[in-house]
Amino acid sequence: MKTALVIMAAGIGSRFGGGIKQLAAVGPNGEIIMDYSIHDAIEAGFDKIVFIIRHDIEEAFKEAIGDRIEKICAGLGVEIDYAFQALENVPEGFSVPEGRSKPWGTGQAVLACKGIIKEPFAVINADDYYGKEAFVRLHDFLQGYTPDKPGDLAMAGFVLKNTLSDNGAVTRGICQMNDAHYLTGVLETSGIEKTADGAAAGGKSIDIDSLVSMNMWALTPEFVDLLESGFVEFFEKAAPTNPLKAEYLLPIYIDELLHADKVSVKVLPTHDKWFGVTYAEDKQTVIDSFARLVADGVYKKDLFSDLKK
């Protein structure tokens, strides 16, 4: 079954004030984190990549990333497409509040794929490294998609200790699950720091073996229609309370659907280490981590050379 990987890249390069052309090279040949995610997705069996970007970064994105990946994917039989997130794309009957400058969040980003996504798909952040196992688990889950079960979703559950930064506190969504490993809720927890005994937030100890959400989801094509109706609701209820900063966020909307019994979310545990540049000081740690992965043979130095059509 055809499966797509949707990469939320509209904000790529904006962290720490850099632009796309200043993206952090983390691999031995200047690869960025997204290159490794694309490699792992193709290796796992995904055969379509959709980049969500903004119109104003399209030229720079294609020059820095897109054109290169398109050539690689053409040789591997993998389709490439683009979706565009835009501030002005609001539901009919609503308008952009005066003074608003940023788009509407990850829910709106995935909604930009309407008309482009017709197959089951996974969603990831462009700036995060998830490891190989999560892509395999999500791809395998999506192979079981049938149109009569449009609400059967999944997420990769990362072990908390594998997602912490040595350079400061992080916010993580701690998964609450039933015995069958289905999500019952996500406890958004800020200020989580490493401690001598494991991890703590606000002085309270946290189980470092808890599973957390890192915004890596397995979704159905019908889910995009749910996102569309949810976006209208967002404009009716949430946007008016904070018109300049309110965001339509994917995990919050999925949590709402979960509590309304409109979807089920299977938590798929993964034991790989997550990397991301939460703090500027994290960059060297990420570079060193990829160097070890290459030295250990997890990746070829010539990253895509081991993939075949």
Side-chain angles (χ1 to χ4, degrees), residues 6-7 9 34 48-55 57-71 79-85 109 112-117:
V6 171
I7 304 177
M34 200 191 327
K48 179 176 179 177
I49 311 287
V50 179
F51 295 112
I52 304 173
I53 59 173
R54 303 187 317 271
H55 284 291
I57 67 169
E58 180 178 7
E59 188 178 337
F61 185 91
K62 287 185 174 180
E63 187 181 320
I65 307 157
D67 291 346
R68 174 170 55 81
I69 293 298
E70 278 192 49
K71 284 179 188 170
E79 185 183 341
I80 295 284
D81 213 334
Y82 289 87
F84 295 91
Q85 183 177 17
C113 295
K114 186 173 173 66
I116 295 170
I117 289 289

Side-chain angles (χ1 to χ4, degrees), residues 2-36:
K2 193 174 184 69
T3 48
L5 175 69
V6 171
I7 304 177
M8 295 186 289
I12 192 169
S14 60
R15 194 171 283 175
F16 315 120
I20 286 179
K21 292 182 180 178
Q22 287 77 48
L23 282 173
V26 295
N29 298 309
E31 295 90 353
I32 61 174
I33 289 176
M34 200 191 327
D35 286 313
Y36 289 91

Side-chain angles (χ1 to χ4, degrees), residues 44-281:
F46 287 90
D47 44 16
K48 179 176 179 177
I49 311 287
V50 179
F51 295 112
I52 304 173
I53 59 173
R54 303 187 317 271
H55 284 291
D56 61 294
I57 67 169
E58 180 178 7
E59 188 178 337
F61 185 91
K62 287 185 174 180
E63 187 181 320
I65 307 157
D67 291 346
R68 174 170 55 81
I69 293 298
E70 278 192 49
K71 284 179 188 170
I72 291 166
C73 286
L76 295 169
V78 175
E79 185 183 341
I80 295 284
D81 213 334
Y82 289 87
F84 295 91
Q85 183 177 17
L87 171 64
E88 63 272 16
N89 288 349
V90 299
E92 194 175 335
F94 295 91
S95 58
V96 177
E98 189 177 343
R100 175 91 186 198
S101 59
K102 61 184 293 190
W104 298 96
T106 51
Q108 189 213 16
V110 177
L111 180 55
C113 295
K114 186 173 173 66
I116 295 170
I117 289 289
K118 298 177 177 67
E119 52 277 301
F121 64 103
V123 175
I124 64 167
N125 295 329
D127 291 328
D128 293 347
Y129 171 77
Y130 296 97
K132 291 174 179 269
E133 184 186 11
F135 285 101
V136 172
R137 299 217 63 186
L138 264 63
H139 178 267
D140 289 351
F141 175 86
L142 291 171
Q143 290 302 300
Y145 161 76
T146 56
D148 60 319
K149 293 183 178 178
D152 284 9
L153 315 180
M155 58 156 277
F158 286 79
V159 182
L160 175 60
K161 65 186 175 188
N162 293 336
T163 73
L164 299 176
S165 170
D166 290 323
N167 298 302
V170 297
T171 297
R172 296 288 179 257
I174 298 176
C175 299
Q176 299 169 315
M177 299 170 291
N178 63 21
D179 292 341
H181 255 247
Y182 279 90
L183 196 67
T184 57
V186 177
L187 186 62
E188 199 70 15
T189 308
S190 57
I192 304 176
E193 297 181 286
K194 282 187 176 181
T195 65
D197 301 327
K204 291 185 179 179
S205 179
I206 295 178
D207 180 3
I208 57 169
D209 292 316
S210 302
L211 293 183
V212 299
S213 168
M214 299 304 295
N215 224 16
M216 187 180 195
W217 304 92
L219 306 172
T220 64
E222 293 85 357
F223 179 79
V224 181
D225 294 324
L226 280 177
L227 271 178
E228 190 167 39
S229 57
F231 199 33
V232 174
E233 235 174 83
F234 167 82
F235 265 86
E236 289 170 346
K237 297 175 183 175
T241 64
N242 191 0
L244 300 188
K245 293 186 176 176
E247 289 188 275
Y248 181 47
L249 298 175
L250 194 57
I252 290 176
Y253 183 57
I254 290 174
D255 192 54
E256 286 177 16
L257 292 172
L258 196 63
H259 285 98
D261 290 325
K262 291 184 178 177
V263 299
S264 65
V265 182
K266 182 79 171 175
V267 180
L268 307 173
T270 175
H271 298 90
D272 284 334
K273 186 168 175 56
W274 170 93
F275 307 143
V277 185
T278 304
Y279 297 95
E281 296 83 359

